[in-house]
Amino acid sequence: AMDSIAAAHSGHMGLPLGAAEIGAVLYGDQMSYNAKDPEWINRDRFILSAGHGSMFLYSWLNLAGYDLPIEELKNFRQHHSQTPGHPEFPNSEHTTPGIECTTGPLGAGVSNAVGFAASEKMAEAVYNTEEHKIFDHHIFALAGDGCFQEGVSAESAAFAAHEKLDNLIVLYDANEVTLDKMAEYTQSEDILKRYEAYGWEVYDIDGHDLDAVTETIAAAKASDNGKPKFIKCNTIIGKGMEETEGTNAAHGEAGVPYVDKAKINIGIPEGESWYVSEGTRDYFKGVQEKNSAAYDAWQETFKAWSEANPELADQLNKAVADDVPSAEEMFDMIPDMEQTDAEATRVSGYKVIQEISKILPQYVSGSADLHGSCRNYIDEGGKFGV
């Protein structure tokens, strides 16, 4: 991460250094994924809400075996590279594997994670059976002080607790730093008490203690108590770079002049760039083997489930493949609605929604409080969380 940011003369060095242990535990032990099949439907999802620290994510994706070679890390923030300044969901320009959603605007990644968690719970309810469980993954999000200052994360956090999304684990990179000043200039709340009041299960740990991070994430995964999990990881931003660590100067590329010294401080051989030890590569080969075994076992379960539930399997496979009729085809499938009297457009819209829901079983509707007034509900769709 340091070498990539130094080469680009741009980027955020503080988060990759300050949250290194968190990344090591997630990608090296606690997350379930298969780097060879990054779109596996039962993978754990990781969302970097603090998207400015993108080299954190790119570094771990490379180590974990995703198709993101070191050459792409060397091209960080360069035009047409697969390592843009903020993580971007695969699109026509960037097809970086392992990126679950575009992040950058602070707090939005927390809300994205809540949405992912709700989606997973819905998939569990629709597709899991007593005989076969094909959905049981977790959603992880790493967020910083700025993310929790934003209202968008507060609203979604309240929703997550109310809807009992206990498959959601948010890791708070609590380094007490924002870009312009230390965080004490702009915040003084007890964030653990705030999230506990929402209804979350909260933890407070040393984010640089590998054992503590491992044990806490494992406990959060195992806790199916109807509460989303909030882990405050107390960290030092830019840890290992003496000139900037623990200060808002680490929130950016101010540490570039000190990279060579910092690499020596943390044990990287002098003169080496983009260095990864053989021991580290070997360790992650073992992680890939472990993950591949779990993936293969899931495939057997999925095969048995598909054979026992052919209609559900067809529905799921079409949804995953985005195999849906075009808008024009759906128009043709919806019966003509002759109306002689004046009718409110929301009533007409309600009728169309019912027809679309018959065509697309995965269709979901919703609104903020005005569901009945706006008439955008699905008659036989049920209610989320009920």
Side-chain angles (χ1 to χ4, degrees):
M2 286 191 287
D3 286 325
S4 296
I5 293 166
H9 296 285
S10 181
H12 189 288
M13 204 170 289
L15 191 150
L17 292 173
E21 291 85 356
I22 297 171
V25 170
L26 288 173
Y27 283 94
D29 185 59
Q30 288 295 313
M31 283 210 321
S32 177
Y33 61 92
N34 182 357
K36 304 305 179 186
D37 184 4
E39 296 184 359
W40 174 33
I41 60 174
N42 198 40
R43 69 191 181 278
D44 285 343
R45 272 68 166 175
F46 174 78
I47 297 169
L48 182 63
S49 184
H52 49 272
S54 57
M55 269 311 304
F56 167 91
L57 181 50
Y58 301 144
S59 298
W60 289 113
L61 291 175
N62 171 268
L63 289 171
Y66 285 83
D67 186 18
L68 188 64
I70 201 75
E71 288 73 20
E72 288 293 344
L73 273 64
K74 293 179 181 180
N75 286 327
F76 177 56
R77 280 183 173 253
Q78 304 308 301
H79 196 207
H80 300 307
S81 80
Q82 298 305 302
T83 49
H86 290 76
E88 293 188 23
F89 185 75
N91 53 58
S92 59
E93 174 68 15
H94 303 288
T95 57
T96 316
I99 305 298
E100 300 293 353
C101 64
T102 301
T103 54
L106 294 180
V110 175
S111 295
N112 289 142
V114 172
F116 273 78
S119 175
E120 196 278 338
K121 286 291 187 182
M122 293 179 71
E124 280 188 23
V126 173
Y127 298 110
N128 285 357
T129 65
E130 291 186 9
E131 295 78 17
H132 304 102
K133 182 183 290 187
I134 61 168
F135 286 107
D136 62 353
H137 57 271
H138 289 85
I139 314 300
F140 296 89
L142 180 61
D145 289 280
C147 292
F148 300 111
Q149 293 176 354
E150 297 288 346
V152 66
S153 62
E155 293 176 34
S156 57
F159 172 88
H162 183 72
E163 298 297 347
K164 299 179 172 55
L165 303 182
D166 54 12
N167 56 340
L168 173 61
I169 301 172
V170 171
L171 299 129
Y172 170 24
D173 179 22
N175 53 39
E176 300 181 349
V177 169
T178 60
L179 178 61
D180 288 334
K181 288 280 189 178
M182 299 300 288
E184 63 184 356
Y185 281 82
T186 53
Q187 66 185 41
S188 55
E189 67 185 10
D190 186 328
I191 194 166
L192 286 176
K193 289 183 178 178
R194 174 155 69 93
Y195 270 73
E196 191 171 29
Y198 287 143
W200 290 55
E201 185 173 342
V202 300
Y203 306 81
D204 191 1
I205 65 171
D206 178 353
H208 299 301
D209 183 333
L210 280 169
D211 290 336
V213 176
T214 301
E215 292 167 7
T216 305
I217 292 177
K221 287 167 57 180
S223 179
D224 298 326
N225 61 357
K227 293 185 176 184
K229 313 302 185 288
F230 186 91
I231 305 174
K232 183 184 179 186
C233 303
N234 298 284
T235 62
I236 299 171
I237 191 172
K239 189 174 185 290
M241 187 169 284
E242 297 172 348
E243 292 81 1
T244 60
E245 69 175 14
T247 73
N248 63 300
H251 200 298
E253 63 274 1
V256 168
Y258 316 111
V259 165
D260 290 339
K261 180 182 176 183
K263 288 196 292 185
I264 294 173
N265 287 346
I266 63 177
I268 293 176
E270 188 172 358
E272 292 280 358
S273 297
W274 289 281
Y275 175 79
V276 179
S277 69
E278 286 188 17
T280 300
R281 290 294 186 195
D282 287 343
Y283 175 83
F284 273 97
K285 285 180 182 177
V287 172
Q288 290 177 42
E289 291 172 0
K290 180 194 74 171
N291 287 346
S292 293
Y295 173 82
D296 291 342
W298 181 90
Q299 292 289 354
E300 290 299 317
T301 300
F302 184 75
K303 180 180 178 182
W305 171 85
S306 297
E307 292 173 351
N309 304 277
E311 291 185 4
L312 277 179
D314 181 63
Q315 181 190 120
L316 176 58
N317 289 331
K318 285 181 177 178
V320 171
D322 199 24
D323 181 8
V324 299
S326 67
E328 290 75 15
E329 289 170 329
M330 280 193 279
F331 287 149
D332 291 338
M333 297 164 73
I334 296 172
D336 290 336
M337 300 179 190
E338 293 187 12
Q339 184 67 41
T340 56
D341 299 326
E343 182 176 80
T345 52
R346 58 184 171 177
V347 174
S348 301
Y350 156 77
K351 294 177 180 178
V352 173
I353 287 173
Q354 306 316 305
E355 297 300 328
I356 293 175
S357 69
K358 297 172 186 175
I359 300 169
L360 300 177
Q362 64 270 33
Y363 190 54
V364 178
S365 73
S367 64
D369 186 47
L370 298 174
H371 215 49
S373 179
C374 294
R375 302 291 296 273
N376 56 350
Y377 48 82
I378 299 172
D379 284 341
E380 303 300 325
K383 296 184 177 68
F384 184 83
V386 176

